[in-house]
């Protein structure tokens, strides 16, 4: 149970439930292959059955951490900081992103879009989930739409989401890791027949890096 004082800091985004932070190579989507500092925020109620970071779901397991410390750590390593989760937009991202921008960092977010957008972002990667669909604020601002393909029906879902996202968003299809042998050939064929889409792979897993 958080103290009243800490809870107030969390509520205004001055402290966030930090699960982990690390410097690595971006493995997915538009910025694949580029160096970035990842800040993983705990807490998610979207509940994807194939989530590979289920330990992030319970925010209470991850200690509230001052955004000053998060920004100081991130600024030591990379020009680009990726805020991920969990679902980072469960929390107010205004202060974190402003402080990162004040430190001349490029700030990216990876989100399901299930919550309204807060914060100032250089790049928004929207990865929508069927069980809790994105808000209009994220559809309207997303730079990248990345749909995870677990089964054939997900191609239908991907097209539905492409209709809702803004016209400038870059469209990606990515095989769910446990189904990659089955789904990757289907994605390749789909993209060749529907070239508005691009293929995204979890290259960090092939490289065996975080």
């Amino acid at each position: 149970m958080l103290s009243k004082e800490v809870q107030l800091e969390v509520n205004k985004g001055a402290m966030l439930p930090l699960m982990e932070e690390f410097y690595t190579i971006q493995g997915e989507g538009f910025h694949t292959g580029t160096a970035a500092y990842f800040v993983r925020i705990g807490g998610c109620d979207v509940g994807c059955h194939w989530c590979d970071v289920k330990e992030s779901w319970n925010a209470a397991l991850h200690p509230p951490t001052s955004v000053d410390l998060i920004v100081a750590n991130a600024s030591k390593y990379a020009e680009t900081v990726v805020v991920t989760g969990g679902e980072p937009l469960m929390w107010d991202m205004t202060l974190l992103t402003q402080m990162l921008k004040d430190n001349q960092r490029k700030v990216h977010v990876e989100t399901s879009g299930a919550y309204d957008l807060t914060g100032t972002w250089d790049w928004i990667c929207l990865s929508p989930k069927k069980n809790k669909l994105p808000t209009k604020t994220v559809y309207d601002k997303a730079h990248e739409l990345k749909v995870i393909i677990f089964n054939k029906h997900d191609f239908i879902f991907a097209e539905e989401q492409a209709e809702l996202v803004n016209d400038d968003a870059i469209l990606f299809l990515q095989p769910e890791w446990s189904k990659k042998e089955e789904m990757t050939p289907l994605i390749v064929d789909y993209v060749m027949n529907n070239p508005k889409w691009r293929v995204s792979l979890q290259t960090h897993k092939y490289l065996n890096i975080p």
Side-chain angles (χ1 to χ4, degrees):
M1 188 73 175
L2 300 179
S3 70
K4 185 177 180 180
E5 292 78 11
V6 169
Q7 188 63 60
L8 285 172
E9 292 295 288
V10 170
N11 290 348
K12 67 183 183 182
M15 299 183 81
L16 295 167
L18 179 66
M19 177 180 166
E20 59 180 346
E21 49 188 342
F22 50 91
Y23 185 42
T24 189
I25 300 295
Q26 172 66 266
E28 306 175 8
F30 184 81
H31 293 282
T32 293
T34 59
Y37 191 81
F38 279 72
V39 175
R40 188 180 302 283
I41 305 299
C44 185
D45 59 1
V46 179
C48 306
H49 64 92
W50 40 255
C51 177
D52 55 4
V53 202
K54 287 187 173 70
E55 59 271 28
S56 70
W57 290 4
N58 185 356
L61 298 177
H62 308 295
T65 303
S66 165
V67 294
D68 296 288
L69 180 58
I70 295 172
V71 171
N73 290 342
S75 298
K76 295 175 186 175
Y77 291 95
E79 291 184 3
T80 300
V81 178
V82 180
V83 182
T84 186
E87 175 43 67
L89 293 183
M90 287 182 68
W91 316 100
D92 189 342
M93 291 284 120
T94 305
L95 188 56
L96 175 64
T97 57
Q98 186 57 59
M99 291 180 66
L100 287 166
K101 297 293 286 179
D102 289 346
N103 277 264
Q104 289 74 53
R105 305 298 115 175
K106 294 177 182 176
V107 192
H108 299 188
V109 66
E110 296 183 350
T111 177
S112 70
Y115 289 84
D116 282 337
L117 192 66
T118 56
T120 303
W121 306 99
D122 295 290
W123 192 266
I124 298 167
C125 174
L126 169 60
S127 185
K129 307 301 186 291
K130 295 175 185 174
N131 41 332
K132 196 161 187 178
L133 293 173
T135 64
K136 189 176 187 301
T137 59
V138 187
Y139 281 131
D140 289 348
K141 298 289 187 180
H143 299 90
E144 170 183 354
L145 174 69
K146 183 177 68 183
V147 180
I148 309 304
I149 304 297
F150 182 78
N151 56 42
K152 291 180 180 179
H153 185 270
D154 290 331
F155 290 108
I156 299 172
F157 177 67
E159 292 293 352
E160 292 170 348
Q161 296 301 294
E163 288 295 315
L164 295 170
V165 81
N166 68 83
D167 292 339
D168 294 326
I170 302 167
L171 308 179
F172 287 92
L173 300 174
Q174 178 173 297
E176 195 279 322
W177 183 251
S178 71
K179 301 289 287 292
K180 65 183 183 300
E181 304 300 333
E182 179 184 353
M183 290 297 132
T184 300
L186 299 182
I187 291 172
V188 169
D189 288 344
Y190 194 89
V191 170
M192 291 175 71
N193 287 309
N194 301 273
K196 68 180 181 182
W197 292 95
R198 303 184 187 187
V199 178
S200 174
L201 299 173
Q202 290 183 292
T203 59
H204 56 293
K205 293 188 176 180
Y206 289 101
L207 296 171
N208 195 30
I209 59 176

